[in-house]
Every structure is written in structure tokens, then in C-alpha cells.
Amino acid sequence: MDSFNDPLKDESIKLKIAIQKSGRLHDDSLRLLKECGIEISNGVNKLKSEASNFPMEVYFLRDDDIPQYVEDAVADIGFVGENIVYEKKKKVEVVEKLGFGKCRLAIAVNRHDEYSDRSFLNGKKIATSYPVLVQQFLDENNINAEIHEISGSVEIAPGIGLAEAICDLVSSGSTLFTNGLKEVETVLQSQAVLIKNYQLGHVQQYLLDKLLFRIRAVKKAKNNKYILLNAPNEKLTEIISLLPGMKSPTVLPLAIEGWSSVHSVLSENEFWEIIEKLKAAGAQGILVVPIEKMII
Ligand code: ATP
Ligand code: MG
């Protein structure tokens, strides 16, 4: 086999990935790689590191810079918030949502303002670190407002008389609350995504596909639970009809006459509702177990 057919044999070829050096996405980015079986030593103040068991080189960068590095092919791929991808408008492809770093880019005004609709924002000053996305939102809604770009501590702008509204990232809303603000509009729902350079080489694409296969298996496993329960045989048909399973549930006889053990996989979304129905249908000793990887 030559090195193209099996790039993992050629030690000089690496998939270069950019992740956040420190901040809200750093730990989850490394955790996801680890769950994909990729071990990275993360020395303090290191800018670059290598995986020990996957042909991968990791660059630790400020999140704002990641789209540029990927557009310029300094890194092949990156993990970064959608908010940054769409604000920076770099030419990169969004390949996969990663399920962490969830937040929203929201407009907030003074808690005591009477905000009935978006026209409130006409003629107002909005402080933000996201001028591109805010301008887009204003244009789409025919609002004429002035954008005041600041790089941090946006939430104090109304309190010091710099602006009448702000647009910033929110997850729980507690920062807004402590600054006397209320959330009134959502400009963007965001989470961490995997981005890639548009002109990836064949081998890099091969390695990315390998990584994506693992990421999807990890994500699927997180959204599903393995369930085991005992049921009297006369209730089996009803219980099995409640269980989706990957193909169909596994049914095994118990040592006690007239009883069976049923195994299946349930998705997180429908989980509680189905558990209640199973109990009502006569299921006993229900065990729910996390799944580590799921390949279907
Ligand atoms: P850097 O030093 O890398 O520029 P930063 O201070 O700009 O870091 P962080 O505050 O670490 O960035 O946030 C990184 C990303 O985490 C955000 O761009 C966003 O995608 C996501 N995020 C999730 N929840 C929140 C939140 N409540 N506030 C801010 N960002 C959040
Ligand atoms: Mg940043």
C-alpha cells in the first residue's frame, strides 16, 4: 500500500487543527478530541502540540483568529463558535455542529425600558463586539440604529451612558441581570462548529473524514441511552412496541419462568416519556446506561 492509500502510515502527514488556547471552548474542544480517542498533551503556554495516536497537529489560538488561519490553510480545520465564523465572514466551510459552546447573540436594553417591538431600536445606539451580525439584523428588520463597536465589557455600556442597547453573547442571562438589562431580541443561536479550509488536500480530507466519523459516533452516543428492563412475557408485545431500538430490541429469557429481559436504545429526546409508558405497561427493574460510542 502506498502512502496515499494509507496516509496513517506516512508520519509526515498531519491534519492541522486550530482550537481555542484558553476560554470557554478550550476544555470542551480537547474533551471531544479525547472522546474521539485522540490524546493531546497540553503544556502551559504551548502554541502547538501533537497527538500521540492520530496524525494531528494542534494549534492553540485566540478564537477570533481561527477562521482566518483556516481560510489561509495555516490550519486545515478548526473548532470555533458560529458567532465568530459568521461575524468574521472568512471563506471557510462549516462542516459539523459540535454540540457544545451553546449560546445566543442577543440584544438587551435597560430593564425599565418599555420595549414593545423592534422599532424601539430606531435611532438608538447599540454597543457590541459583533458589528457585522448586528448590522445584518438591523438591515433585515429595516431598523436604523447606530452601532458602537467595543471589544469587551459590553454589558456596562448602558450604565455608563455609552449606548441605549447592547448586543452580546448570552447563555444563562445572569450577566445581563446583574447589569440591570433585559434580553429583547435573538440575533443568532450559536454553538461550536467544525470548520474546514475549502481546498483541503486529499490526504487531509481523508483524515478529516476519519475524525468526522468518530465525532458523529460520539455525538450520537451522547444523545442516546442503553436501557435494560424486565417484563412478564404476557406484556412483551406491548413493551416492545414502545421501544424503537437500533433494529429491534433484544429479548432474553430470565432464569425465572415467564419473565424476559429486554434491551434497547432510546434517544434523549423521547427518553422520559417512553420510560413512563414502559412502567405503566408493566416493565420492572429498569436500568439506564450511558453509551460511549455509537456506530450505526
Ligand atoms: P479569546 O481569548 O480566545 O479571544 P474570548 O474571550 O473571545 O476568548 P470566550 O469568552 O472564551 O472568548 O468565548 C469563546 C466562545 O464561547 C464564544 O465565541 C462563544 O462561541 C462561546 N460561548 C458560549 N457561551 C458563552 C457565553 N455565555 N458568553 C460568551 N461566549 C460564550
Ligand atoms: Mg475572542
Side-chain angles (χ1 to χ4, degrees), residues 24 105-111 126-130 148-171 173-183:
R24 292 173 196 264
L105 185 62
I107 295 180
V109 298
N110 209 301
R111 194 184 306 155
I126 307 174
T128 187
S129 313
Y130 292 86
H148 192 96
E149 185 178 350
I150 47 179
S151 59
S153 304
V154 174
E155 64 284 352
I156 64 163
I160 58 173
L162 187 67
E164 290 95 3
I166 66 155
C167 184
D168 204 5
L169 295 173
V170 184
S171 42
S174 60
T175 310
L176 294 183
F177 185 80
T178 35
N179 285 281
L181 302 171
K182 64 176 174 189
E183 195 176 334

Side-chain angles (χ1 to χ4, degrees), residues 20 22-25 62-64 81 83-84 101-103 169 171:
Q20 194 188 22
S22 65
R24 292 173 196 264
L25 302 181
R62 287 206 53 189
D63 66 347
D64 315 67
N83 51 303
I84 299 284
K102 287 189 178 162
C103 58
L169 295 173
S171 42

